[in-house]
Amino acid sequence: MRRCLVAGNWKMHMTVAETESFIVRFLPLVGAPNAEVVLFPPFTSLDCAGRLLRETNVGLGAQDVYFESKGAYTGAVSPGMLVACGCRYVLVGHSERRHVFGDGNDVVRRKLDAAVVGGLDPILCVGETIAERRGGQTNTVLETQLEAGLGGLSEAALARVVIAYEPVWAIGTGETATPEQAQEASAWIREWVGRRHGRAAEKVRILYGGSVKLDNARSLLALPDVDGSLVGGASLDPDGFAAIAAAAEA
Ligand code: PEP
């Protein structure tokens, strides 16, 4: 049985004060969810969020990590620093990291490995651009990203990984994949895991991300191969995000 995971990626939003107000409002709304609910604030809010979320039903994750543990890497944040703030999860390979900051598949893999070694559970984000989809390249792109991110990973490490299918054309655009598109890609990803990693395919959680809102969350979360969602813009409102978490339980 795969437990549904609803993740809220705040991107570059929320000061420390705004983080505190969000969490104070959100916790009573979300109650004791059946689904796993995790917030991904910006680095500057992690410490505050970690303190407020300690011993609650809501988890904490970071939006990115560097693959070195310490040293002269200006602006970078290590896995150990994130764990010390109370993070369990970290996103790796989010499309904004890949396309805005130039994280290539090799860097994504180094981050994923460092996350696992450093005690974090990575959420590996994969997805095609609109040109790749129109060109019939979706599965090829997914395969390349999955092979680079997870190929040869040990069984123990893979057990820590969550995969997020996030079509680039659906992120922050208001255009959501149809349930058929989300199911087709998620099923394909699970088949890939089965081909490369055998029975891990039954256990690995696959999230859908890309303009998830309350009105489309229910149909996406009901899909057989979708085990949760990675929510960007709609996670910035505590009432709306709590409602999406409740939809996940239904
Ligand atoms: C995301 O940040 O991963 C995302 C899917 O954003 P949005 O929900 O705003 O499309």
Side-chain angles (χ1 to χ4, degrees), residues 7-11 91 94-96 125 164-176 208-213 229-236:
N9 174 20
W10 289 358
K11 314 194 188 207
L91 304 180
H94 188 278
S95 87
E96 286 147 19
C125 304
Y165 169 60
E166 296 212 301
V168 178
W169 48 271
I171 298 178
T173 59
E175 192 181 342
T176 316
Y208 168 78
S211 298
V212 172
K213 309 262 181 300
S229 61
L230 179 49
V231 185
S235 70
L236 294 170

Side-chain angles (χ1 to χ4, degrees), residues 133 165 167 169-170 175-185 208 219-220 223:
R133 174 163 282 269
Y165 169 60
W169 48 271
E175 192 181 342
T176 316
T178 63
E180 293 71 27
Q181 288 169 324
Q183 170 57 26
E184 190 183 23
Y208 168 78
S219 56
L220 290 161
L223 297 168

Side-chain angles (χ1 to χ4, degrees), residues 171-234:
I171 298 178
T173 59
E175 192 181 342
T176 316
T178 63
E180 293 71 27
Q181 288 169 324
Q183 170 57 26
E184 190 183 23
S186 302
W188 192 91
I189 289 168
R190 199 176 299 288
E191 270 171 44
W192 182 89
V193 176
R195 280 200 301 279
R196 298 291 275 112
H197 295 280
R199 287 176 51 197
E202 293 153 31
K203 293 201 182 134
V204 72
R205 288 187 290 180
I206 301 173
L207 314 183
Y208 168 78
S211 298
V212 172
K213 309 262 181 300
L214 184 55
D215 59 5
N216 58 31
R218 214 177 288 269
S219 56
L220 290 161
L221 288 164
L223 297 168
D225 284 296
V226 172
D227 307 308
S229 61
L230 179 49
V231 185

